[in-house]
Amino acid sequence: MLIRLRTAIERGETSCSELVRQYLARIEETRHLNAYVEVYAEEALNRAAELDEKFKREPSAAGPLFGAVVSIKDVICHEGHEVTAGSRILQGFRSLYSATAVERLLKADAIIIGRVNCDEFAMGSTNESSFHGPARNGEDPSKVPGGSSGGSAVAVQTDTCLVSIGSDTGGSVRQPAAFCGVTGFKPTYGRISRYGLLAYASSFDQIGLIAREVSDIAAVLQVIAGPDDFDATALPEAPDIKLEPEQQAGRMRIACFDKALHHPGMNPDIRQLTLQFIEQLKGEGHVVENVEFDYLDYLIPTYYVLTTAEASSNLSRYDGIRFGYRAGDATNIRETYTKSRTAGFGTEVKRRILLGTFVLSAGYYDAYYAKAQQMRRLIRDRTRDILHQYDFILMPASPLPPWKIGEVVNDPVAMYLADIFTVQANLSGCPAIAFPIGRDGDGMPVGIQLMADLLQESKLLSFSQQFAGKC
């Protein structure tokens, strides 16, 4: 899409200003979906006018993302702009600096049109825990868009931006992409700097991308990925992201888990569409084989023990003293901490802080946290062992289709189990992509997930391009 937009601009058929006006009109038309928590209308129009003038003066000076209108998730810092992580505790807080990813977007001549809704501190799979209210699925506004990057998925789904920059801790760009019928991509851990991304669980958190077309994801990834002095976990080598035709035509070896495909919690329509997609792959000459993976039932417990432990530490900085919300009726520092955090955090965030504090506490650390770390290593080693023998691992993006808003709000375990097929990529650090493969009996999108070995983004994107965006 980006290439077609740029060609249209070069031919004088449109302009950055016209594109922004069209996107702003779509945002207004879809306000009822609550995808955006803030729209930078005037700022985006002014930047578009500047880029149009720059292009008139010297077309060759246009950056690689010239013509790309982007939204950013409400956990990514943008200097001088509010960032709340969907939480009351950060209401009114303005960032003092921009995330590395945002700086690189702007340097490449992208236009940021607004910040989009998400689960509070990216903790959730429904986008219902946001202080700004739930985002709604554009296919059916009575249903969830997935989470935590639900606003990002809806923003792309409803054509209010070209690409949305989200975050992915356990599937937070892939699951909502599957629920909304678009493409969500998580790179190798460390591929994109986390500097300026509000932390949930630092050894899992990643910036991810949602778009309709794989080529747009590849173009943005090439720009924002790479080493960063502000993030010690950023990989030291700059990537060379290319969509390679031979990866589309070549015969691939793909692993799948029979236990996952016949999981008791799997929706029958999703199982059927997944099996049909596997037959399609076989019909095109690819090898798809069942392999043993004995840790499927350990994925969710391992993920939630470790992420909640990290969250309890990361969120300790929100204390009502240094920035953000402060309770006005506190009479001493202890009351300030207690009342500010009690009123500032939502139910799901408090639940995860308490769980994380518990698993790190004396007497329980070895029983839970230490064992979960050991389990993570086993999962990572087995995943990489499979990916040394196969090109990709295939699984559904979610065992369930989008559910009604409010349906699981009082059943957190059901929400956690919806992540069963996406957390493996975060536990192992591997790149993964989700894209639509059809619709269920209610007409809602169904997504598939492919996972590749570390640093194999080009291979994964190239292969996925022939399928993504076709349903």
Side-chain angles (χ1 to χ4, degrees):
M1 178 67 79
L2 179 58
I3 295 172
R4 296 196 296 275
L5 288 176
R6 186 153 181 166
T7 300
I9 293 172
E10 290 172 350
R11 292 174 177 171
E13 298 169 359
T14 189
S15 64
C16 289
S17 296
E18 180 59 27
L19 289 173
V20 169
R21 283 192 290 269
Q22 291 174 5
Y23 283 129
L24 290 173
R26 285 290 299 153
I27 290 173
E28 287 302 314
E29 292 171 6
T30 56
R31 281 283 188 183
H32 63 288
L33 300 176
N34 200 30
Y36 285 80
V37 296
E38 186 177 7
V39 180
Y40 310 144
E42 184 177 353
E43 180 181 331
L45 286 168
N46 289 338
R47 177 163 173 80
E50 292 172 3
L51 291 174
D52 285 335
E53 186 59 33
K54 173 182 175 180
F55 187 75
K56 288 178 183 177
R57 290 196 310 268
E58 190 178 354
S60 61
L65 297 184
F66 178 78
V69 177
V70 179
S71 65
I72 58 174
K73 186 177 178 178
D74 189 27
V75 292
I76 298 173
C77 293
H78 188 188
E79 184 179 359
H81 296 73
E82 193 171 348
V83 57
T84 70
S87 180
R88 182 183 186 187
I89 208 159
L90 277 175
Q91 189 178 15
F93 174 74
R94 290 188 176 274
S95 180
L96 302 176
Y97 63 94
S98 287
T100 298
V102 169
E103 289 185 342
R104 291 175 179 175
L105 284 171
L106 295 173
K107 187 177 179 181
D109 287 346
I111 299 168
I112 299 177
I113 200 167
R115 60 188 173 101
V116 287
N117 208 347
C118 63
D119 280 296
E120 186 178 8
F121 281 100
M123 298 181 189
S125 303
T126 69
N127 213 143
E128 293 175 280
S129 67
S130 172
F131 175 67
H132 305 288
R136 296 175 178 273
N137 198 311
E139 293 280 350
D140 181 347
S142 71
K143 294 185 176 180
V144 300
S148 62
S149 305
S152 291
V154 177
V156 173
Q157 176 193 42
T158 55
D159 293 321
T160 63
C161 62
L162 183 72
V163 178
S164 190
I165 311 300
S167 67
D168 192 311
T169 304
S172 286
V173 299
R174 289 162 287 145
Q175 185 248 31
F179 278 15
C180 294
V182 292
T183 300
F185 175 75
K186 177 200 94 69
T188 301
Y189 182 81
R191 180 63 86 191
I192 302 174
S193 169
R194 291 183 297 110
Y195 181 71
L197 171 66
L198 301 187
Y200 161 20
S202 300
S203 73
F204 292 80
D205 293 343
Q206 293 183 245
I207 286 179
L209 306 169
I210 296 179
R212 285 188 175 275
E213 298 187 10
V214 170
S215 59
D216 296 329
I217 289 176
V220 175
L221 179 64
Q222 179 62 46
V223 166
I224 66 176
D228 181 20
D229 291 339
F230 294 107
D231 180 5
T233 66
L235 297 172
E237 65 275 2
D240 184 18
I241 306 299
K242 293 180 179 177
L243 296 179
E244 301 164 345
E246 61 270 20
Q247 298 291 354
Q248 299 177 27
R251 192 174 94 155
M252 296 292 163
R253 289 177 52 80
I254 301 169
C256 61
F257 307 149
D258 186 69
K259 191 175 180 180
L261 296 178
H262 295 90
H263 192 275
M266 176 79 76
N267 174 274
D269 289 345
I270 294 177
R271 179 186 293 113
Q272 184 60 33
L273 286 167
T274 301
L275 293 174
Q276 287 176 8
F277 183 71
I278 288 173
E279 290 305 311
Q280 178 186 345
L281 291 172
K282 290 179 177 179
E284 294 179 6
H286 305 292
V287 176
V288 184
E289 296 178 340
N290 285 317
V291 300
E292 290 297 320
F293 184 75
D294 297 329
Y295 306 128
L296 189 69
D297 292 336
Y298 296 93
L299 293 173
I300 292 296
T302 301
Y303 171 79
Y304 276 100
V305 167
L306 296 178
T307 56
T308 55
E310 293 186 24
S312 70
S313 176
N314 276 326
L315 271 63
S316 65
R317 71 193 69 180
Y318 304 108
D319 53 14
I321 301 295
R322 287 165 285 190
F323 48 78
Y325 174 79
R326 179 185 297 180
D329 58 345
T331 59
N332 56 54
I333 192 168
R334 184 181 182 86
E335 279 193 3
T336 299
Y337 287 160
T338 303
K339 291 187 175 183
S340 296
R341 289 169 67 82
T342 298
F345 288 133
T347 300
E348 183 59 33
V349 171
K350 284 187 276 193
R351 180 184 291 119
R352 298 195 192 199
I353 290 173
L354 289 170
L355 179 57
T357 303
F358 173 78
V359 301
L360 289 174
S361 61
Y364 296 100
Y365 181 96
D366 290 336
Y368 293 101
Y369 184 77
K371 277 188 167 54
Q373 288 286 28
Q374 294 168 355
M375 194 71 240
R376 184 181 190 178
R377 183 57 184 263
L378 291 173
I379 291 167
R380 180 182 184 273
D381 288 350
R382 177 56 182 151
T383 300
R384 296 210 62 205
D385 178 57
I386 293 170
L387 289 169
H388 288 158
Q389 303 172 56
Y390 294 86
D391 296 290
F392 308 113
I393 295 173
L394 179 151
M395 281 191 290
S398 170
L400 300 170
W403 50 85
K404 294 281 187 181
I405 291 175
E407 192 172 316
V408 301
V409 71
N410 295 317
D411 188 359
V413 174
M415 180 177 69
Y416 300 165
L417 289 174
D419 299 333
I420 187 169
F421 300 135
T422 54
V423 298
Q424 183 180 357
N426 299 82
L427 285 162
S428 61
C430 293
I433 191 170
F435 52 83
I437 55 169
R439 293 177 180 270
D440 67 8
D442 293 328
M444 298 302 292
V446 171
I448 200 76
Q449 176 186 242
L450 290 174
M451 189 189 323
D453 201 4
L454 301 179
L455 309 180
Q456 297 297 311
E457 287 89 356
S458 290
K459 180 179 179 181
L460 179 60
L461 291 169
S462 296
F463 181 74
S464 302
Q465 188 180 31
Q466 61 189 304
F467 306 106
K470 302 299 193 303
C471 291

